[in-house]
Amino acid sequence: IGKGGLTEMIDGGYEVLYEWEDIKQIELLKNYIYIYTNAIHAVIIPVRVFGTIDDCTFFLNELKRHIKESTKQNVEVNHR
């Protein structure tokens, strides 16, 4: 998470930056967080990468805060 957006680290050391306005939807489904940038693309993060549930909750709250501050849009986390 950075001021300009969410950076995804890809195999081979590549980085992809998703600007805050690119994030359309966030879902928490079982053991994964899906951060959608459009209808068919999502950054998928396993919940197990967080040390605790509180760490996961903090990450999701930070995502929402950055999106709101940058785009003035409220993106809620859909739990399924």
Coordinates of all heavy atoms in Angstrom, one line a residue:
I1 N 0.9 -1.2 0.0 CA 0.0 0.0 0.0 C 0.9 1.2 0.0 O 1.8 1.3 0.8 CB -0.9 0.0 1.2 CG1 -1.9 -1.1 1.2 CG2 -1.6 1.4 1.3 CD1 -2.8 -1.2 2.4
G2 N 0.7 2.1 -0.9 CA 1.4 3.3 -1.0 C 0.5 4.5 -1.3 O -0.7 4.3 -1.6
K3 N 1.0 5.7 -1.3 CA 0.2 6.9 -1.5 C -0.5 6.9 -2.9 O -1.6 7.3 -3.0 CB 1.1 8.1 -1.3 CG 0.3 9.4 -1.2 CD 1.1 10.5 -0.7 CE 0.2 11.7 -0.3 NZ 0.8 12.5 0.6
G4 N 0.2 6.3 -3.9 CA -0.3 6.3 -5.2 C -1.2 5.2 -5.6 O -1.9 5.2 -6.6
G5 N -1.2 4.1 -4.7 CA -2.0 3.0 -5.0 C -1.5 1.7 -4.4 O -0.6 1.7 -3.5
L6 N -2.0 0.6 -4.9 CA -1.6 -0.7 -4.4 C -0.6 -1.4 -5.4 O -0.9 -1.4 -6.6 CB -2.9 -1.6 -4.3 CG -2.7 -3.0 -3.8 CD1 -2.3 -3.1 -2.3 CD2 -4.0 -3.8 -4.0
T7 N 0.5 -1.8 -4.9 CA 1.5 -2.4 -5.7 C 1.5 -3.9 -5.5 O 1.6 -4.4 -4.4 CB 2.9 -1.8 -5.4 OG1 2.9 -0.4 -5.5 CG2 4.0 -2.4 -6.3
E8 N 1.5 -4.6 -6.7 CA 1.5 -6.1 -6.7 C 2.9 -6.5 -7.1 O 3.4 -6.0 -8.1 CB 0.4 -6.6 -7.6 CG 0.4 -8.1 -7.7 CD -0.6 -8.7 -8.7 OE1 -1.0 -7.9 -9.6 OE2 -0.9 -9.8 -8.6
M9 N 3.5 -7.4 -6.3 CA 4.8 -8.0 -6.7 C 4.5 -9.2 -7.5 O 3.9 -10.1 -7.0 CB 5.6 -8.3 -5.5 CG 5.9 -7.1 -4.6 SD 6.8 -5.7 -5.3 CE 8.4 -6.5 -5.5
I10 N 5.1 -9.3 -8.7 CA 4.9 -10.5 -9.6 C 6.2 -11.2 -9.7 O 7.3 -10.7 -9.6 CB 4.4 -10.0 -11.0 CG1 3.1 -9.2 -10.8 CG2 4.2 -11.1 -11.9 CD1 2.6 -8.6 -12.1
D11 N 6.1 -12.5 -10.0 CA 7.3 -13.3 -10.2 C 8.3 -12.6 -11.1 O 7.9 -12.0 -12.1 CB 6.9 -14.7 -10.8 CG 6.2 -15.6 -9.9 OD1 6.3 -15.4 -8.6 OD2 5.5 -16.5 -10.3
G12 N 9.6 -12.8 -10.8 CA 10.6 -12.2 -11.6 C 11.0 -10.8 -11.2 O 11.7 -10.1 -11.8
G13 N 10.4 -10.3 -10.1 CA 10.7 -9.0 -9.5 C 9.9 -7.9 -10.1 O 10.3 -6.7 -9.9
Y14 N 8.9 -8.2 -10.9 CA 8.1 -7.1 -11.5 C 7.1 -6.5 -10.6 O 6.6 -7.3 -9.7 CB 7.4 -7.6 -12.8 CG 8.3 -8.1 -13.9 CD1 8.6 -9.4 -14.1 CD2 9.0 -7.1 -14.7 CE1 9.4 -9.8 -15.1 CE2 9.9 -7.5 -15.7 CZ 10.1 -8.9 -15.9 OH 10.9 -9.3 -16.9
E15 N 6.8 -5.3 -10.7 CA 5.8 -4.6 -9.9 C 4.7 -4.1 -10.8 O 5.0 -3.5 -11.9 CB 6.4 -3.5 -9.1 CG 7.4 -3.9 -8.1 CD 8.0 -2.7 -7.3 OE1 7.6 -1.6 -7.5 OE2 8.9 -3.0 -6.4
V16 N 3.5 -4.2 -10.3 CA 2.3 -3.6 -11.0 C 1.6 -2.7 -10.1 O 1.3 -3.1 -8.9 CB 1.4 -4.6 -11.6 CG1 0.1 -4.0 -12.2 CG2 2.0 -5.6 -12.5
L17 N 1.5 -1.4 -10.4 CA 0.8 -0.4 -9.6 C -0.7 -0.3 -10.0 O -0.9 0.0 -11.2 CB 1.5 0.9 -9.7 CG 0.8 2.1 -8.9 CD1 0.8 1.8 -7.4 CD2 1.4 3.4 -9.2
Y18 N -1.6 -0.5 -9.1 CA -3.0 -0.2 -9.3 C -3.3 1.0 -8.6 O -3.3 1.1 -7.3 CB -3.9 -1.4 -8.8 CG -3.5 -2.7 -9.5 CD1 -2.7 -3.6 -8.8 CD2 -4.0 -3.0 -10.8 CE1 -2.4 -4.8 -9.5 CE2 -3.6 -4.2 -11.4 CZ -2.8 -5.1 -10.7 OH -2.5 -6.3 -11.3
E19 N -3.6 2.1 -9.3 CA -4.0 3.3 -8.7 C -5.3 3.2 -7.9 O -6.1 2.3 -8.3 CB -4.1 4.4 -9.7 CG -2.7 4.7 -10.3 CD -2.8 5.8 -11.4 OE1 -3.8 6.4 -11.6 OE2 -1.7 6.1 -12.0
W20 N -5.5 4.0 -6.9 CA -6.7 3.8 -6.0 C -8.0 3.9 -6.8 O -8.9 3.1 -6.5 CB -6.7 4.9 -4.9 CG -5.5 4.7 -4.0 CD1 -4.5 5.6 -3.7 CD2 -5.2 3.5 -3.3 NE1 -3.6 5.0 -2.9 CE2 -4.0 3.8 -2.6 CE3 -5.8 2.3 -3.1 CZ2 -3.4 2.8 -1.7 CZ3 -5.2 1.3 -2.3 CH2 -4.1 1.6 -1.6
E21 N -8.1 4.7 -7.9 CA -9.3 4.8 -8.6 C -9.5 3.5 -9.5 O -10.6 3.3 -10.0 CB -9.4 6.0 -9.5 CG -8.2 6.2 -10.5 CD -7.1 7.0 -9.9 OE1 -7.1 7.3 -8.7 OE2 -6.2 7.3 -10.7
D22 N -8.5 2.7 -9.7 CA -8.6 1.4 -10.4 C -9.3 0.3 -9.6 O -9.8 -0.6 -10.2 CB -7.2 0.9 -10.8 CG -6.5 1.8 -11.8 OD1 -7.2 2.6 -12.5 OD2 -5.2 1.7 -11.8
I23 N -9.4 0.5 -8.3 CA -10.0 -0.6 -7.4 C -11.5 -0.4 -7.4 O -12.0 0.7 -7.0 CB -9.4 -0.6 -6.0 CG1 -7.9 -0.9 -6.1 CG2 -10.1 -1.6 -5.1 CD1 -7.1 -0.8 -4.8
K24 N -12.2 -1.4 -7.9 CA -13.6 -1.3 -8.0 C -14.4 -2.0 -6.9 O -15.5 -1.6 -6.6 CB -14.1 -1.9 -9.4 CG -13.4 -1.3 -10.6 CD -13.5 0.2 -10.7 CE -12.9 0.8 -11.9 NZ -12.5 2.1 -11.8
Q25 N -13.8 -3.1 -6.4 CA -14.5 -3.9 -5.4 C -13.5 -4.7 -4.6 O -12.5 -5.1 -5.1 CB -15.5 -4.9 -6.2 CG -16.3 -5.7 -5.3 CD -17.3 -6.6 -6.2 OE1 -17.4 -6.4 -7.4 NE2 -17.9 -7.6 -5.5
I26 N -13.9 -5.0 -3.3 CA -13.1 -5.8 -2.4 C -14.0 -6.9 -1.8 O -15.1 -6.5 -1.3 CB -12.4 -5.0 -1.3 CG1 -11.6 -3.8 -1.9 CG2 -11.6 -5.9 -0.4 CD1 -11.2 -2.8 -0.8
E27 N -13.5 -8.1 -1.9 CA -14.3 -9.2 -1.3 C -13.4 -10.0 -0.5 O -12.2 -10.3 -0.8 CB -14.9 -10.1 -2.4 CG -16.0 -9.5 -3.2 CD -16.7 -10.5 -4.1 OE1 -16.3 -11.6 -4.2 OE2 -17.7 -10.0 -4.8
L28 N -14.0 -10.5 0.6 CA -13.3 -11.4 1.5 C -14.1 -12.7 1.4 O -15.2 -12.8 1.9 CB -13.3 -10.9 3.0 CG -12.6 -11.8 4.0 CD1 -11.2 -12.1 3.6 CD2 -12.7 -11.1 5.4
L29 N -13.5 -13.7 0.8 CA -14.2 -15.0 0.5 C -13.3 -16.1 1.1 O -12.2 -16.4 0.7 CB -14.3 -15.2 -1.0 CG -15.0 -16.5 -1.5 CD1 -16.4 -16.6 -1.0 CD2 -15.0 -16.5 -3.0
K30 N -13.9 -16.7 2.2 CA -13.2 -17.8 2.9 C -11.8 -17.4 3.3 O -11.7 -16.5 4.2 CB -13.2 -19.1 2.1 CG -14.5 -19.7 1.9 CD -14.5 -21.1 1.3 CE -15.9 -21.6 1.1 NZ -15.8 -22.9 0.5
N31 N -10.8 -17.9 2.6 CA -9.4 -17.6 3.1 C -8.6 -16.7 2.1 O -7.4 -16.6 2.2 CB -8.6 -18.9 3.2 CG -9.3 -19.8 4.2 OD1 -9.6 -19.4 5.3 ND2 -9.4 -21.1 3.9
Y32 N -9.4 -15.9 1.3 CA -8.7 -15.0 0.3 C -9.4 -13.7 0.3 O -10.6 -13.5 0.5 CB -8.8 -15.6 -1.1 CG -8.0 -16.9 -1.1 CD1 -8.6 -18.2 -0.9 CD2 -6.6 -16.9 -1.4 CE1 -7.9 -19.3 -0.9 CE2 -5.9 -18.1 -1.4 CZ -6.5 -19.3 -1.2 OH -5.8 -20.4 -1.2
I33 N -8.6 -12.7 0.0 CA -9.1 -11.3 -0.3 C -9.0 -11.1 -1.8 O -7.9 -11.3 -2.4 CB -8.2 -10.2 0.5 CG1 -8.3 -10.4 2.0 CG2 -8.7 -8.8 0.1 CD1 -7.3 -9.6 2.7
Y34 N -10.0 -10.7 -2.4 CA -10.1 -10.4 -3.8 C -10.2 -8.9 -4.0 O -11.2 -8.3 -3.5 CB -11.2 -11.1 -4.5 CG -11.1 -12.6 -4.5 CD1 -11.5 -13.3 -3.4 CD2 -10.6 -13.3 -5.6 CE1 -11.4 -14.7 -3.3 CE2 -10.5 -14.7 -5.6 CZ -10.9 -15.4 -4.4 OH -10.8 -16.7 -4.4
I35 N -9.3 -8.3 -4.6 CA -9.3 -6.8 -4.9 C -9.5 -6.7 -6.4 O -8.5 -6.8 -7.2 CB -8.0 -6.2 -4.4 CG1 -7.8 -6.5 -2.9 CG2 -8.1 -4.6 -4.7 CD1 -6.4 -6.0 -2.4
Y36 N -10.7 -6.3 -6.8 CA -11.0 -6.3 -8.2 C -10.7 -4.9 -8.8 O -11.0 -3.9 -8.3 CB -12.5 -6.5 -8.4 CG -12.9 -8.0 -8.2 CD1 -13.4 -8.4 -6.9 CD2 -12.9 -8.9 -9.2 CE1 -13.7 -9.7 -6.7 CE2 -13.2 -10.2 -9.0 CZ -13.6 -10.6 -7.8 OH -14.0 -11.9 -7.6
T37 N -10.1 -5.0 -10.0 CA -9.8 -3.8 -10.8 C -10.7 -3.7 -12.0 O -10.9 -2.6 -12.5 CB -8.3 -3.7 -11.3 OG1 -8.1 -4.9 -12.1 CG2 -7.4 -3.7 -10.1
N38 N -11.4 -4.8 -12.3 CA -12.5 -4.8 -13.3 C -13.2 -6.1 -13.1 O -13.0 -6.8 -12.1 CB -12.0 -4.6 -14.7 CG -11.1 -5.7 -15.2 OD1 -11.3 -6.9 -14.9 ND2 -10.0 -5.3 -15.9
A39 N -14.2 -6.4 -14.0 CA -15.1 -7.5 -13.8 C -14.3 -8.8 -13.8 O -14.8 -9.8 -13.3 CB -16.2 -7.5 -14.8
I40 N -13.2 -8.9 -14.5 CA -12.5 -10.2 -14.7 C -11.1 -10.2 -14.1 O -10.4 -11.3 -14.3 CB -12.5 -10.6 -16.2 CG1 -11.7 -9.6 -17.0 CG2 -13.9 -10.8 -16.7 CD1 -11.5 -10.0 -18.4
H41 N -10.6 -9.2 -13.5 CA -9.3 -9.2 -12.9 C -9.3 -8.8 -11.5 O -9.9 -7.8 -11.1 CB -8.4 -8.2 -13.7 CG -7.0 -8.2 -13.1 ND1 -6.6 -7.3 -12.1 CD2 -5.9 -9.0 -13.3 CE1 -5.3 -7.5 -11.8 NE2 -4.9 -8.5 -12.5
A42 N -8.6 -9.6 -10.7 CA -8.5 -9.3 -9.2 C -7.1 -9.7 -8.8 O -6.5 -10.6 -9.2 CB -9.6 -10.1 -8.4
V43 N -6.6 -8.9 -7.8 CA -5.4 -9.2 -7.1 C -5.9 -10.1 -5.9 O -6.8 -9.7 -5.2 CB -4.7 -8.0 -6.5 CG1 -3.6 -8.3 -5.7 CG2 -4.3 -7.0 -7.6
I44 N -5.4 -11.3 -5.8 CA -5.8 -12.3 -4.8 C -4.8 -12.4 -3.7 O -3.6 -12.7 -4.0 CB -6.1 -13.6 -5.5 CG1 -7.2 -13.4 -6.6 CG2 -6.6 -14.6 -4.4 CD1 -7.4 -14.7 -7.4
I45 N -5.2 -12.2 -2.5 CA -4.2 -12.2 -1.4 C -4.7 -13.3 -0.4 O -5.8 -13.2 0.1 CB -4.1 -10.9 -0.7 CG1 -3.7 -9.8 -1.7 CG2 -3.2 -11.0 0.5 CD1 -3.8 -8.4 -1.1
P46 N -3.9 -14.3 -0.1 CA -4.3 -15.3 0.9 C -4.3 -14.7 2.3 O -3.4 -13.9 2.6 CB -3.2 -16.4 0.8 CG -2.5 -16.1 -0.4 CD -2.7 -14.7 -0.7
V47 N -5.4 -14.9 3.0 CA -5.4 -14.3 4.4 C -4.3 -14.8 5.3 O -3.8 -14.1 6.2 CB -6.8 -14.7 5.0 CG1 -6.9 -14.3 6.5 CG2 -7.9 -14.0 4.2
R48 N -3.7 -16.0 5.0 CA -2.7 -16.6 5.8 C -1.4 -15.7 5.8 O -0.5 -15.9 6.6 CB -2.4 -18.0 5.3 CG -1.7 -18.1 4.0 CD -1.4 -19.6 3.6 NE -0.8 -19.6 2.3 CZ -1.4 -19.8 1.2 NH1 -2.7 -19.9 1.2 NH2 -0.8 -19.8 0.0
V49 N -1.2 -14.8 4.8 CA 0.0 -14.0 4.8 C 0.0 -13.0 5.9 O 1.0 -12.4 6.2 CB 0.2 -13.3 3.4 CG1 0.3 -14.2 2.3 CG2 -0.9 -12.2 3.2
F50 N -1.2 -12.8 6.6 CA -1.2 -11.8 7.7 C -1.0 -12.6 9.0 O -1.4 -13.7 9.1 CB -2.6 -11.1 7.7 CG -2.9 -10.4 6.5 CD1 -3.7 -10.9 5.5 CD2 -2.4 -9.1 6.3 CE1 -4.0 -10.2 4.3 CE2 -2.6 -8.4 5.2 CZ -3.4 -8.9 4.2
G51 N -0.3 -12.0 9.9 CA 0.1 -12.7 11.2 C -1.2 -13.0 12.0 O -1.3 -14.1 12.6
T52 N -2.1 -12.1 12.0 CA -3.3 -12.2 12.8 C -4.5 -11.7 12.0 O -4.4 -11.0 11.0 CB -3.2 -11.5 14.1 OG1 -3.2 -10.1 13.8 CG2 -2.0 -11.9 15.0
I53 N -5.7 -12.0 12.5 CA -6.9 -11.5 11.9 C -6.9 -9.9 12.0 O -7.4 -9.2 11.1 CB -8.2 -12.1 12.6 CG1 -8.3 -13.6 12.2 CG2 -9.5 -11.3 12.2 CD1 -8.5 -13.8 10.7
D54 N -6.4 -9.4 13.1 CA -6.3 -8.0 13.3 C -5.4 -7.4 12.3 O -5.7 -6.3 11.8 CB -5.7 -7.6 14.7 CG -6.7 -7.9 15.8 OD1 -8.0 -8.0 15.5 OD2 -6.3 -8.0 17.0
D55 N -4.3 -8.0 11.9 CA -3.5 -7.5 10.8 C -4.2 -7.5 9.5 O -4.1 -6.5 8.7 CB -2.2 -8.4 10.6 CG -1.3 -8.3 11.8 OD1 -1.4 -7.3 12.6 OD2 -0.5 -9.2 11.9
C56 N -5.0 -8.5 9.2 CA -5.9 -8.5 8.0 C -6.9 -7.4 8.0 O -7.1 -6.7 7.0 CB -6.5 -9.9 7.9 SG -7.5 -10.1 6.4
T57 N -7.5 -7.2 9.1 CA -8.5 -6.2 9.3 C -7.9 -4.8 9.1 O -8.4 -3.9 8.4 CB -9.2 -6.3 10.6 OG1 -9.8 -7.5 10.8 CG2 -10.3 -5.2 10.8
F58 N -6.7 -4.6 9.6 CA -6.0 -3.3 9.5 C -5.7 -3.1 8.0 O -5.9 -2.0 7.5 CB -4.7 -3.4 10.3 CG -3.9 -2.1 10.2 CD1 -4.2 -1.0 10.8 CD2 -2.8 -2.1 9.3 CE1 -3.4 0.2 10.7 CE2 -2.0 -1.0 9.1 CZ -2.3 0.2 9.8
F59 N -5.2 -4.1 7.3 CA -4.9 -4.0 5.9 C -6.2 -3.6 5.1 O -6.1 -2.6 4.3 CB -4.4 -5.3 5.3 CG -4.2 -5.3 3.8 CD1 -3.1 -4.7 3.2 CD2 -5.1 -6.0 3.0 CE1 -3.0 -4.7 1.8 CE2 -5.0 -6.0 1.7 CZ -3.9 -5.4 1.1
L60 N -7.3 -4.2 5.3 CA -8.5 -3.9 4.6 C -9.0 -2.5 5.0 O -9.4 -1.7 4.1 CB -9.6 -4.9 5.0 CG -9.4 -6.3 4.5 CD1 -10.4 -7.3 5.1 CD2 -9.4 -6.4 3.0
N61 N -8.9 -2.1 6.2 CA -9.3 -0.7 6.6 C -8.4 0.3 5.9 O -8.8 1.4 5.5 CB -9.3 -0.5 8.1 CG -10.4 -1.3 8.8 OD1 -11.5 -1.5 8.2 ND2 -10.3 -1.6 10.0
E62 N -7.1 0.0 5.8 CA -6.1 0.9 5.1 C -6.5 1.0 3.6 O -6.4 2.1 3.1 CB -4.7 0.5 5.3 CG -4.1 0.8 6.7 CD -4.0 2.2 6.9 OE1 -3.2 2.9 6.3 OE2 -4.8 2.7 7.8
L63 N -6.8 -0.1 3.0 CA -7.3 0.0 1.6 C -8.5 0.9 1.5 O -8.5 1.8 0.6 CB -7.7 -1.4 1.1 CG -6.6 -2.4 0.6 CD1 -7.3 -3.7 0.2 CD2 -5.8 -1.8 -0.5
K64 N -9.5 0.7 2.3 CA -10.7 1.5 2.2 C -10.4 3.0 2.5 O -10.9 3.9 1.8 CB -11.7 1.0 3.2 CG -12.3 -0.3 2.9 CD -13.4 -0.8 3.7 CE -13.3 -0.5 5.2 NZ -14.4 -1.0 6.0
R65 N -9.5 3.3 3.4 CA -9.2 4.7 3.8 C -8.5 5.3 2.6 O -8.8 6.5 2.2 CB -8.3 4.7 5.0 CG -7.9 6.1 5.5 CD -7.1 6.1 6.7 NE -5.7 5.6 6.5 CZ -4.7 6.2 5.9 NH1 -4.9 7.5 5.5 NH2 -3.6 5.6 5.8
H66 N -7.5 4.7 2.0 CA -6.7 5.2 0.9 C -7.7 5.5 -0.3 O -7.6 6.5 -1.0 CB -5.6 4.3 0.5 CG -4.4 4.5 1.3 ND1 -3.5 5.6 1.3 CD2 -3.8 3.7 2.3 CE1 -2.5 5.4 2.1 NE2 -2.7 4.3 2.8
I67 N -8.5 4.5 -0.6 CA -9.5 4.7 -1.7 C -10.4 5.9 -1.5 O -10.6 6.7 -2.3 CB -10.3 3.4 -1.9 CG1 -9.4 2.3 -2.4 CG2 -11.4 3.7 -2.9 CD1 -10.0 0.9 -2.4
K68 N -10.9 6.0 -0.2 CA -11.8 7.1 0.1 C -11.1 8.5 0.0 O -11.6 9.4 -0.6 CB -12.4 6.9 1.4 CG -13.5 8.0 1.8 CD -14.2 7.7 3.0 CE -15.3 8.7 3.2 NZ -16.1 8.4 4.4
E69 N -9.9 8.5 0.5 CA -9.1 9.8 0.5 C -8.8 10.2 -0.9 O -8.7 11.4 -1.2 CB -7.9 9.7 1.4 CG -8.1 9.7 2.9 CD -6.9 9.5 3.7 OE1 -5.8 9.4 3.1 OE2 -7.0 9.5 4.9
S70 N -8.5 9.3 -1.8 CA -8.0 9.6 -3.1 C -9.1 9.8 -4.1 O -9.0 10.6 -5.0 CB -7.1 8.4 -3.6 OG -5.9 8.4 -2.8
T71 N -10.2 9.0 -3.9 CA -11.3 9.1 -4.9 C -12.6 9.6 -4.4 O -13.5 9.8 -5.2 CB -11.5 7.6 -5.5 OG1 -12.1 6.8 -4.5 CG2 -10.3 7.0 -6.0
K72 N -12.7 9.8 -3.1 CA -14.0 10.2 -2.5 C -15.1 9.1 -2.6 O -16.2 9.4 -2.4 CB -14.5 11.5 -3.0 CG -13.4 12.6 -3.0 CD -13.0 13.0 -1.6 CE -12.1 14.2 -1.7 NZ -10.9 14.0 -0.9
Q73 N -14.7 7.9 -2.9 CA -15.6 6.8 -3.0 C -15.5 5.9 -1.8 O -14.4 5.6 -1.4 CB -15.4 6.0 -4.3 CG -15.7 6.8 -5.6 CD -15.4 5.9 -6.8 OE1 -15.2 4.7 -6.7 NE2 -15.5 6.5 -8.0
N74 N -16.6 5.4 -1.4 CA -16.6 4.4 -0.3 C -16.7 3.0 -0.9 O -17.6 2.7 -1.6 CB -17.8 4.5 0.6 CG -17.7 5.7 1.5 OD1 -16.6 6.0 2.0 ND2 -18.8 6.4 1.8
V75 N -15.6 2.2 -0.8 CA -15.6 0.9 -1.2 C -15.6 0.0 0.0 O -14.7 0.1 0.9 CB -14.3 0.6 -2.1 CG1 -14.2 -0.9 -2.4 CG2 -14.3 1.4 -3.3
E76 N -16.7 -0.8 0.2 CA -16.8 -1.6 1.3 C -16.3 -3.0 1.0 O -16.2 -3.4 -0.2 CB -18.3 -1.7 1.7 CG -18.8 -0.4 2.3 CD -18.1 0.1 3.5 OE1 -17.7 -0.8 4.4 OE2 -17.8 1.3 3.6
V77 N -15.9 -3.8 2.0 CA -15.5 -5.2 1.9 C -16.7 -6.0 1.9 O -17.4 -6.0 2.9 CB -14.5 -5.5 3.0 CG1 -14.1 -7.0 2.9 CG2 -13.3 -4.6 3.0
N78 N -16.9 -6.8 0.8 CA -18.1 -7.7 0.8 C -17.6 -9.1 1.4 O -16.6 -9.6 0.9 CB -18.5 -7.9 -0.6 CG -19.1 -6.7 -1.2 OD1 -19.8 -5.9 -0.6 ND2 -18.7 -6.4 -2.5
H79 N -18.3 -9.5 2.4 CA -17.9 -10.8 3.0 C -18.8 -11.9 2.5 O -20.0 -11.7 2.4 CB -18.1 -10.8 4.5 CG -17.2 -9.8 5.2 ND1 -16.0 -10.1 5.7 CD2 -17.3 -8.4 5.4 CE1 -15.4 -9.0 6.2 NE2 -16.2 -8.0 6.1
R80 N -18.2 -13.0 2.0 CA -19.0 -14.1 1.4 C -18.6 -15.4 2.0 O -17.5 -15.6 2.4 CB -18.8 -14.1 -0.1 CG -19.4 -12.9 -0.7 CD -19.3 -13.1 -2.2 NE -19.7 -11.8 -2.8 CZ -20.5 -11.7 -3.8 NH1 -21.1 -12.7 -4.3 NH2 -20.8 -10.5 -4.3

